[in-house]
Amino acid sequence: MVKVLLVLYDGREHAQQVPELLGTTENELGIRKWLEDQGHTLVTTSDKEGENSKFDQELVDAEIIITTPFHPGYLTADRLAKAKKLKLAVTAGIGSDHVDLNAANKTNGGVTVAEVTGSNVVSVAEHVVMTILCLVRNFVPAHEQIERGDWDVAESAKEEYDLENKVVGTVGVGRIGERVLRRLKPFDCKELLYFDYQPLKPEVEKEIGCRRVQNLQEMLAQCDVVTINCPLHEGTKGLFGKELISKMKKGSWLVNTARGAIVVKEDVAEALKSGHLRGYGGDVWYPQPAPKDHPLRYAKNPFGGGNAMVPHMSGTSIDAQKRYASGVKSIIETYLSGKDNYKPEDLIVHKGDYATKAYGQRAKA
């Protein structure tokens, strides 16, 4: 029989109120009864920090580990070395950068790393568009004014703009980036730009009305709004630091729903305070959960606004949770069947190698 270790976030009273909060330790992706009816063991925890964490104690004999980008249990090389029975690491969602993929390839003859591809791309794309609008329309400071009992239209309107006739660019035009551009088309932006190593098909570019810019700095210099929708790997870690941010258009907005480590948090905070960035928003942090002294919790522009940060929630809407819970069950079913007929798009590493050329290039960059 198989031992499954599940690392999720605590839902507390919220999980009791809403059973559809499947990504919580209380509701366990809805898989406990299904696994136990087959004689398997499920251990669930949110305790993942430190050598004596429940995660570290239980991973030593776990055959399957499930974790999530929203409250990641980091599978480092050291942890993988302790996981003597591990065969499958599943991400409940999208983004497996919390797993040391090179080490996974070498552990126990090769640990399969899989994620539920496509499960929350719509959810994240919607969140990106919402965040752009919140920043451009100066929504958060205006709402906070109302909560304070104040009424000062000028205070809110001085930082409020229209999205129409603005230049918006995405760094990365994969499943999420493309959907962001599609959703922005009706806003009649001046231009929709993208930077990616791989271009969209010409007919897709024409349909969306977007244009590829092959030089990142060149694209940033043109954009009023930049949204980050690329994976985290060695080539993108710390990409948006002081130097690259300085190439952005003064007074532009930056949105990040990809990964917190793609930006240098101190440099983003400084660019906000100086006014070089008019606003920063998104839901990803480094580290996660964000400590109380994380600079991007509090950084604002000189006029007291421009911060639209929230907890890592864009890809874990109720609808997304249903999709990635179902996908996790499907991946585990495949493993337990022994048939090795995983969906190719769900595999990150498999049989001791990268399942796709792109992931191998990123990891080795």
Side-chain angles (χ1 to χ4, degrees):
M1 293 296 101
V2 171
K3 175 179 174 180
V4 180
L5 175 58
L6 182 57
V7 184
L8 298 173
Y9 56 87
D10 294 325
R12 303 177 302 281
E13 70 275 11
H14 312 297
Q16 296 175 354
Q17 294 166 358
V18 183
E20 292 85 2
L21 274 170
L22 296 170
T24 60
T25 53
E26 292 83 1
N27 295 326
E28 302 177 308
L29 300 178
I31 61 173
R32 177 171 289 279
K33 185 176 186 303
W34 171 70
L35 284 171
E36 291 182 343
D37 284 351
Q38 300 176 72
H40 304 302
T41 300
L42 178 65
V43 177
T44 303
T45 186
S46 62
D47 178 19
K48 60 186 181 64
E49 304 297 339
E51 293 184 4
N52 295 318
S53 68
K54 185 75 170 176
F55 181 32
D56 283 273
Q57 293 172 21
E58 298 290 346
L59 67 81
V60 293
D61 62 347
E63 193 168 330
I64 299 173
I65 292 178
I66 307 165
T67 185
T68 168
F70 317 106
H71 187 80
Y74 290 95
L75 275 171
T76 62
D78 288 342
R79 276 176 162 163
L80 285 165
K82 298 174 186 176
K84 302 298 185 183
K85 295 185 178 181
L86 184 63
K87 292 296 182 183
L88 175 64
V90 185
T91 299
I94 302 172
S96 296
D97 48 87
H98 54 278
V99 182
D100 187 322
L101 299 179
N102 288 326
N105 275 327
K106 301 171 185 176
T107 299
N108 305 334
V111 172
T112 294
V113 180
E115 58 187 43
V116 190
T117 298
S119 59
N120 52 20
V121 292
V122 169
S123 311
V124 177
E126 287 185 359
H127 193 100
V128 171
V129 175
M130 176 192 72
T131 305
I132 291 173
L133 288 169
C134 281
L135 287 171
V136 172
R137 299 310 303 255
N138 203 33
F139 176 83
V140 176
H143 178 69
E144 289 174 343
Q145 181 193 116
I146 291 300
E147 285 189 322
R148 294 194 304 267
D150 297 336
W151 186 281
D152 188 338
V153 175
E155 181 186 40
S156 300
K158 69 182 181 183
E159 284 291 285
E160 182 189 16
Y161 296 82
D162 294 338
L163 185 56
E164 182 180 80
N165 208 35
K166 298 295 187 294
V167 178
V168 183
T170 173
V171 181
V173 72
R175 293 180 176 90
I176 294 171
E178 180 185 334
R179 282 169 172 80
V180 169
L181 294 179
R182 289 182 180 277
R183 283 158 176 75
L184 288 174
K185 182 178 180 180
F187 286 91
D188 295 326
C189 296
K190 183 177 182 179
E191 271 200 294
L192 296 175
L193 307 177
Y194 72 92
F195 171 81
D196 203 307
Y197 72 97
Q198 185 172 339
L200 294 170
K201 294 179 180 179
E203 58 268 29
V204 174
E205 284 190 352
K206 184 177 180 180
E207 179 187 352
I208 297 174
C210 62
R211 176 170 65 88
R212 183 190 184 203
V213 182
Q214 297 192 44
N215 181 281
L216 177 57
Q217 293 186 11
E218 180 185 333
M219 187 189 82
L220 297 181
Q222 301 176 59
C223 289
D224 299 293
V225 180
V226 175
T227 169
I228 303 172
N229 298 293
C230 60
L232 174 64
H233 52 80
E234 287 305 312
T236 60
K237 187 175 182 180
L239 176 64
F240 277 81
K242 186 175 182 179
E243 181 178 353
L244 191 62
I245 292 171
S246 72
K247 308 300 181 184
M248 295 179 66
K249 190 174 179 179
K250 182 174 173 57
S252 56
W253 296 273
L254 180 61
V255 173
N256 182 14
T257 55
R259 285 296 181 267
I262 293 175
V263 307
V264 179
K265 55 184 182 293
E266 296 84 1
D267 295 346
V268 172
E270 182 56 39
L272 272 174
K273 292 175 186 175
S274 72
H276 185 76
L277 286 180
R278 180 165 271 116
Y280 179 77
D283 70 323
V284 288
W285 307 76
Y286 184 76
Q288 287 189 175
K292 290 186 177 181
D293 62 352
H294 195 293
L296 294 179
R297 282 182 179 265
Y298 313 104
K300 295 183 178 181
N301 67 31
F303 299 107
N307 190 322
M309 290 298 291
V310 296
H312 195 172
M313 59 180 280
S314 65
T316 192
S317 65
I318 295 296
D319 296 302
Q321 289 186 44
K322 292 176 182 178
R323 291 190 293 266
Y324 66 66
S326 175
V328 167
K329 183 178 179 181
S330 177
I331 290 169
I332 296 175
E333 277 182 321
T334 299
Y335 175 79
L336 295 176
S337 74
K339 293 180 181 179
D340 196 30
N341 56 345
Y342 298 99
K343 295 178 181 177
E345 63 269 25
D346 287 348
L347 294 174
I348 308 303
V349 299
H350 187 49
K351 296 181 178 178
D353 200 0
Y354 291 91
T356 66
K357 182 179 179 182
Y359 260 98
Q361 289 173 338
R362 292 168 189 163
K364 296 168 185 174

